[in-house]
Structure formats: structure tokens, C-alpha cells
């Protein structure tokens, strides 16, 4: 089922690209850069955090947040974005001498879709896309030790690093508010927001170190609604006139 969803998402991205090229014929196709903050709207991974807590390891926070850098392309009827995602659900507590868990991730993806509304002030978008994500769980001692203790038992003070990965399909709705503020640098600036549901495609993925698979640690739960807020900048002279073949 999830493989079919991934196939459908990839097919949708191909259709979007073809439509975008058709839409760009004899029209200005704008290109810009976007900066977003993305947050999961519900607490997640409770079973995994409970496992860490039972081992006297301070778990990472329940909120999954990401910093997203994107390249926006848009015409009159379509838009697309290539994304770099820096994900973080770290541990902000100040406890000393207590092992702590830190969860982070790096991903690359794209999304795009039709514009349901395109006026001088508003865009209403249907974003559909896929992200390839790599996650790391790091467990640190977060304590202090003498030099002789470290020299005698260095392995006891090295962090544990576990890794997993997934492909996440997502779809939802987005809105751009066009500030229409022109400057020497930008032709336009948008305040942009999206609400999308993310669904892992590869299913349950085990945690692994360099050469060991962890058998009893809960899988990372990724499926939930994410809210994305940010700014889109269109630099001057970014438009390109594509003259397509009929």
C-alpha cells in the first residue's frame, strides 16, 4: 500500500513538472528561495521515550521540529519546491550527570502542485511531495570525569550513536500571502504557510549502529500533521522566459 502511495506521489511530481513547463510557455516563470520552520502538531514517539526513561536516560522532547531551506519555482497555475530539511527533537533540560538522548535528522525532498487561487495578494496551493530522511539518535553521558577515568575506560564516555532512515510522502494545503514589497534585492516576498500530513513509505525501520541492529528499541513514529511557516523571496531578475515547443 505504501509503495503504491510513493509511486502515486512520484507520478504526481512528474505531472506537476510537465504542467509547469506547459504553463511557462510565453510566461515568466519565477524562481526564489524560501526559509521555513516546520513543527509536528502532536506529541509523538511516546513508547520510544518511555523506553529511554526506563533505562534512566533523559529522553528527547516530544516535539519534532525542522528548519527547511527550499528553492521555489512557480508559474500562473503551478508551483514546485526542492527542499533541504534539518530536523531536531533534542533535549533542552539542564540535568547534570544524567545520560541524555538527542534526536536529529537530515533530509532532501521536493513538493509541488496546482494553485487553486492566484490573485495579487493570495496563493492557495496543494503541495504533494516526497522526502528522503536520515535520522540519528545520540545518547550522551552528559557528565564530568577525571582524565584518569577517561584514560582507563574511554568507551564508557563515548556517546552511543544509532541511525535509521525513511522515505516520507506528504500532501496537504498551503497559503501564500504576497507582501508585494519591492526593493533593490527582491521583486516580491511571500509569507507562506502549509499544513501537510506525512506518511512514512518504508514502514518500520530498525535502529542500527555501525555494525549492530538494535532489536528492542521502538521504531521512530513519523506519521502526523506538520505545520510549516516561513518566507519566500524572489530576487530581481530571477524570472526566465521559457519558449516551449507545441
Amino acid at each position: 500500500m505504501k509503495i503504491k502511495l510513493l509511486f502515486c506521489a512520484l507520478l504526481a511530481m512528474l505531472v506537476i513538472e510537465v504542467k509547469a513547463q506547459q504553463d511557462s510557455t510565453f510566461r515568466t516563470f519565477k524562481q526564489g528561495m524560501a526559509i521555513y520552520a516546520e513543527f509536528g502538531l502532536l506529541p509523538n514517539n511516546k513508547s520510544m521515550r518511555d523506553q529511554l526513561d526506563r533505562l534512566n536516560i533523559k529522553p528527547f522532547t516530544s516535539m519534532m521540529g525542522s528548519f527547511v531551506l527550499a528553492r521555489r519555482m512557480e508559474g500562473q497555475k503551478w508551483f514546485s519546491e526542492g527542499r533541504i530539511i534539518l530536523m531536531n527533537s533534542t533535549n533542552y533540560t539542564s540535568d547534570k550527570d544524567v545520560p541524555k538522548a538527542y534526536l536529529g535528522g537530515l533530509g532532501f525532498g521536493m513538493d509541488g502542485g496546482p494553485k487553486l487561487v492566484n490573485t495579487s495578494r493570495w496563493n492557495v496551493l496543494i503541495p504533494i511531495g516526497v522526502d528522503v530522511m536520515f535520522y540519528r539518535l545520540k545518547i550522551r553521558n552528559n557528565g564530568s570525569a577525571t582524565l584518569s577515568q577517561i584514560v582507563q575506560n574511554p568507551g564508557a564516555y563515548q556517546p552511543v550513536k544509532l541511525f535509521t532512515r525513511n522515505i516520507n510522502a506528504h500532501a496537504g494545503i498551503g497559503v501564500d500571502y504576497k507582501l508585494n514589497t519591492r526593493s533593490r534585492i527582491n521583486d516580491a516576498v511571500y509569507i507562506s504557510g502549509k499544513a501537510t500530513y506525512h506518511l512514512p513509505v518504508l514502514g518500520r525501520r530498525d535502529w542500527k549502529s555501525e555494525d549492530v541492529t538494535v532489536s528492542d528499541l521502538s521504531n521512530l513514529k513519523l506519521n502526523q500533521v506538520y505545520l510549516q511557516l516561513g518566507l519566500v523571496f524572489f530576487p530581481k531578475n530571477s524570472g526566465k522566459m521559457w519558449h516551449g515547443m507545441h
Side-chain angles (χ1 to χ4, degrees), residues 15 54-55 91 100 112 124 150 161 186 192 204 229 234:
V15 172
R54 287 195 297 269
L55 294 171
N91 201 316
K100 291 184 181 181
V124 178
I150 297 174
K161 297 179 182 178
N186 298 309
S192 181
R204 296 181 177 181
L229 294 172
F234 293 94

Side-chain angles (χ1 to χ4, degrees), residues 9-10 17 19-20 48 58 64 69 71 84 109 117 119 150 159 163 168 170 177 181 185 202 223 226 238:
L10 293 175
E17 183 67 22
K19 290 290 187 180
M48 186 175 174
K58 195 73 175 179
M64 298 181 71
L69 295 174
R71 178 175 178 264
I84 300 175
V117 175
T119 68
I150 297 174
F163 303 91
N168 302 331
H170 63 266
Y177 177 70
T181 56
I185 301 176
L202 296 183
N223 49 307
Y226 288 81
S238 65

Side-chain angles (χ1 to χ4, degrees), residues 45-60:
N45 295 291
K46 186 178 186 302
S47 61
M48 186 175 174
R49 290 186 288 112
D50 287 344
Q51 277 184 280
L52 294 169
D53 199 34
R54 287 195 297 269
L55 294 171
N56 295 319
I57 299 170
K58 195 73 175 179
F60 53 86

Side-chain angles (χ1 to χ4, degrees), residues 36 72 121-123 175-179 189-193 229-232:
Y36 299 110
R72 168 78 73 95
R121 280 295 182 184
W122 297 96
N123 284 330
V175 176
D176 295 329
Y177 177 70
K178 304 175 183 181
L179 297 178
V189 178
Y190 297 171
I191 298 175
S192 181
L229 294 172
L231 296 172
V232 185

Side-chain angles (χ1 to χ4, degrees), residues 64-221:
M64 298 181 71
S66 299
F67 177 71
V68 181
L69 295 174
R71 178 175 178 264
R72 168 78 73 95
M73 298 181 66
E74 67 171 39
Q76 294 296 317
K77 298 179 181 179
W78 297 85
F79 90 102
S80 66
E81 287 184 344
R83 297 153 41 93
I84 300 175
I85 305 122
L86 300 174
M87 177 265 168
N88 185 35
S89 184
T90 191
N91 201 316
Y92 299 103
T93 59
S94 59
D95 297 340
K96 299 294 183 182
D97 299 315
V98 176
K100 291 184 181 181
Y102 299 81
L103 177 64
L106 172 66
F108 306 91
M110 61 186 299
D111 65 8
K115 292 183 177 182
L116 301 182
V117 175
N118 181 8
T119 68
S120 60
R121 280 295 182 184
W122 297 96
N123 284 330
V124 178
L125 318 166
I126 300 295
I128 303 169
V130 177
D131 299 320
V132 179
M133 295 294 300
F134 302 89
Y135 300 98
R136 183 186 71 174
L137 177 66
K138 182 168 70 173
I139 301 173
R140 299 194 323 188
N141 284 299
N142 194 45
S144 59
T146 65
L147 179 59
S148 62
Q149 288 175 316
I150 297 174
V151 171
Q152 292 171 10
N153 190 13
Y157 301 97
Q158 293 180 355
V160 176
K161 297 179 182 178
L162 304 176
F163 303 91
T164 190
R165 65 192 185 280
N166 220 308
I167 297 176
N168 302 331
H170 63 266
I173 190 166
V175 176
D176 295 329
Y177 177 70
K178 304 175 183 181
L179 297 178
N180 293 332
T181 56
R182 293 178 176 270
S183 67
R184 295 181 179 180
I185 301 176
N186 298 309
D187 274 334
V189 178
Y190 297 171
I191 298 175
S192 181
K194 300 187 186 79
T196 55
Y197 183 77
H198 291 220
L199 179 67
V201 175
L202 296 183
R204 296 181 177 181
R205 309 296 293 176
D206 291 330
W207 288 96
K208 299 181 179 182
S209 64
E210 292 183 358
D211 54 3
V212 175
T213 298
V214 181
S215 61
D216 63 343
L217 184 60
S218 296
N219 306 111
L220 190 62
K221 187 176 181 181

